[in-house]
Amino acid sequence: MLLAAAMEVVDTHGAGAFSMRALGAFLDVDPTAMYRHFATKNALLDALTDTVIRGVEELPETDDPRRDIRENFRQLRRSLLAHPTLAPLVLRRPPGVGAYWERADHAVAQLHRAGMDPADAANVYQTLLFYTLGHTLSEARQLARAVEREGAGARGGPVAAVRPPAEHHPDLSDAAPHLREENEAQFLAGLDLILRDLPR
Amino acid sequence: MLLAAAMEVVDTHGAGAFSMRALGAFLDVDPTAMYRHFATKNALLDALTDTVIRGVEELPETDDPRRDIRENFRQLRRSLLAHPTLAPLVLRRPPGVGAYWERADHAVAQLHRAGMDPADAANVYQTLLFYTLGHTLSEARQLARAVEREGAGARGGPVAAVRPPAEHHPDLSDAAPHLREENEAQFLAGLDLILRDLPR
DNA sequence: ACCTGAACACCGTTCAAGT
DNA sequence: ACCTGAACACCGTTCAAGT
């Protein structure tokens, strides 16, 4: 399928190296043949990002709303990190686009179940979504650079330590060691911070 | 100054239309003359994004830490929205880059002053930063599309309502009206959610 | 020290022509 | 219905040459 081939090219060489000509070469087809199926390169990229937002995992339905919400956003994070060079392009999709509906409805339903009114649920959902996007897209950056340099499967070096000039930023250097923690744990800590009023 | 001219071209026609040739035409200079001052187009864009992260406003120092922290991130939001087509490119800058230090130190210092230990302060800071980036870059998208269509100063239409197919997403449609609120208020509500344990 | 201009190896997209 | 191939109007970047 055309989208699958496009995703393979993106994951192998990075979204920066993706072009209609590169995709044509991969499919052994004239570079202009794709215009029968997608009006523009942008439309093709939008379709790719929608499949990343949607992901491949089932949304969980247990009896623990807090756990289910956490898992919803962990899934989004995993899907974005699986395609790190494509991840930043999800920002071109409005949050009202189809691919987000399932996640939005799932999260809002769990928040409702946990006793929140619609206004609070909407606020918490959006905060979780934007936090997840900001955190994960920042995280994807270093992974993406490794892919664009070394090709698919690159692991990206160890997370660089944050080293501010100590003389100028005394408070920051006390906190700096904690800014370097492993990213998954850091991500979950932020989720829990936002969800800390939910029953656990 | 070269950077100021580049920023003007970006703000007028959008980052998508920015090219070395366009900048050369704007400055009435050969398109390759810029390579004396910046090694690549990417280096030039990185310098531009750093000035956006830094912004033009003074960080506040009142006797209210919570207020100062809110203002820190509102400043970042305002600066990003002032250059909406450039905003997504801040994701290429690692959070440890120079332009973030001032904001990081300021926020961590205020959190410390409010009684937080370094580990909690680091967690809250990162959550606030990534939330702000996610929220603001999503918000910048519609502004950016207006600029790329109509040129500088475009206001971008009213915020599109989120209209999920009601039959499929009952919980979401209860919350949907609250997803459409004016963006500044929504942004601040998220900040307060993350900061709700701070003394006010 | 800085700018110029030709050149190279690319782009996205259109369109007439083929099967 | 789908693919081809030439063509158009662009790119970033290098490098020898000029002042």
Side-chain angles (χ1 to χ4, degrees):
Chain A
M1 210 268 227
L2 212 169
L3 274 184
M7 190 70 92
E8 192 171 337
V9 172
V10 165
D11 287 339
T12 312
H13 301 104
F18 175 79
S19 69
M20 299 306 253
R21 282 171 163 89
L23 179 55
F26 180 84
L27 290 170
D28 251 319
V29 111
D30 190 272
T32 65
M34 272 78 69
Y35 287 85
R36 285 282 142 189
H37 309 278
F38 289 89
T40 64
K41 182 191 177 188
N42 274 340
L44 207 165
L45 287 175
D46 284 346
L48 283 181
T49 59
D50 282 353
T51 73
V52 172
I53 292 167
R54 192 166 288 111
V56 295
E57 302 175 83
E58 287 273 338
L59 285 168
E61 292 280 356
T62 73
D63 54 0
D64 183 347
R66 184 198 179 98
R67 222 175 84 129
D68 288 356
I69 294 173
R70 274 173 51 121
E71 184 57 19
N72 182 330
F73 290 97
R74 288 181 73 175
Q75 286 181 0
L76 179 57
R77 174 177 176 274
R78 275 195 292 266
S79 190
L80 288 166
L81 292 182
H83 310 280
T85 70
L86 194 59
L89 301 187
V90 303
L91 288 175
R92 309 190 319 176
R93 310 302 286 148
V97 87
Y100 281 115
W101 285 342
E102 303 269 331
R103 296 198 182 281
D105 184 55
H106 176 269
V108 167
Q110 305 302 317
L111 291 168
H112 186 214
R113 190 160 313 165
M116 265 189 194
D117 66 39
D120 283 345
N123 181 28
V124 171
Y125 164 68
Q126 297 227 26
T127 304
L128 288 168
L129 175 63
F130 293 136
Y131 164 68
T132 300
L133 290 179
H135 190 286
T136 308
L137 297 185
S138 292
E139 196 177 344
R141 183 194 44 82
Q142 60 200 2
L143 228 43
R145 283 162 85 97
V147 169
E148 307 239 315
R149 251 199 333 265
E150 304 155 32
R155 295 297 301 109
V159 179
V162 177
R163 295 266 303 152
E167 336 70 74
H168 293 131
H169 304 286
D171 291 283
L172 184 55
S173 43
D174 284 347
H178 302 281
L179 296 176
R180 202 186 53 233
E181 274 168 25
E182 186 254 329
N183 281 324
E184 167 93 6
Q186 209 169 64
F187 172 68
L188 294 177
L191 284 188
D192 285 335
L193 177 61
I194 296 168
L195 289 172
R196 70 190 176 287
D197 284 344
L198 277 201
R200 41 186 325 146
Chain B
M1 212 268 229
L2 212 169
L3 275 183
M7 191 70 93
E8 192 171 337
V9 172
V10 165
D11 287 339
T12 311
H13 301 105
F18 175 78
S19 70
M20 298 308 252
R21 282 170 163 88
L23 178 56
F26 179 82
L27 291 170
D28 251 318
V29 113
D30 191 272
T32 67
M34 272 78 69
Y35 287 84
R36 287 280 141 191
H37 309 279
F38 290 89
T40 63
K41 181 190 178 188
N42 274 341
L44 206 166
L45 287 174
D46 284 345
L48 283 181
T49 59
D50 282 353
T51 73
V52 172
I53 292 166
R54 192 167 287 110
V56 294
E57 302 176 84
E58 287 274 339
L59 286 167
E61 291 281 358
T62 73
D63 54 0
D64 183 346
R66 184 197 178 98
R67 222 176 85 127
D68 288 356
I69 294 172
R70 276 173 50 123
E71 184 57 19
N72 182 330
F73 290 97
R74 288 180 74 175
Q75 285 181 0
L76 179 57
R77 174 177 177 274
R78 275 194 294 265
S79 190
L80 288 165
L81 292 182
H83 309 280
T85 70
L86 194 59
L89 302 186
V90 302
L91 288 175
R92 311 190 318 178
R93 310 303 285 151
V97 86
Y100 282 115
W101 284 344
E102 303 269 330
R103 296 198 183 282
D105 184 53
H106 176 269
V108 167
Q110 305 302 317
L111 292 167
H112 186 217
R113 190 160 313 168
M116 266 189 193
D117 66 38
D120 284 345
N123 181 28
V124 171
Y125 165 69
Q126 297 226 28
T127 304
L128 287 168
L129 175 64
F130 293 136
Y131 164 68
T132 300
L133 290 178
H135 189 285
T136 307
L137 298 186
S138 292
E139 196 177 342
R141 182 194 44 82
Q142 62 202 1
L143 226 44
R145 283 161 87 97
V147 169
E148 307 240 316
R149 251 198 334 265
E150 306 155 31
R155 295 297 301 110
V159 179
V162 177
R163 296 267 304 151
E167 334 72 77
H168 293 131
H169 304 287
D171 289 283
L172 183 54
S173 43
D174 285 347
H178 302 281
L179 296 177
R180 203 186 53 232
E181 275 169 24
E182 188 255 325
N183 280 325
E184 167 93 8
Q186 209 170 62
F187 173 68
L188 294 177
L191 284 188
D192 285 335
L193 177 62
I194 296 169
L195 289 172
R196 69 188 176 287
D197 284 344
L198 277 201
R200 42 186 324 150

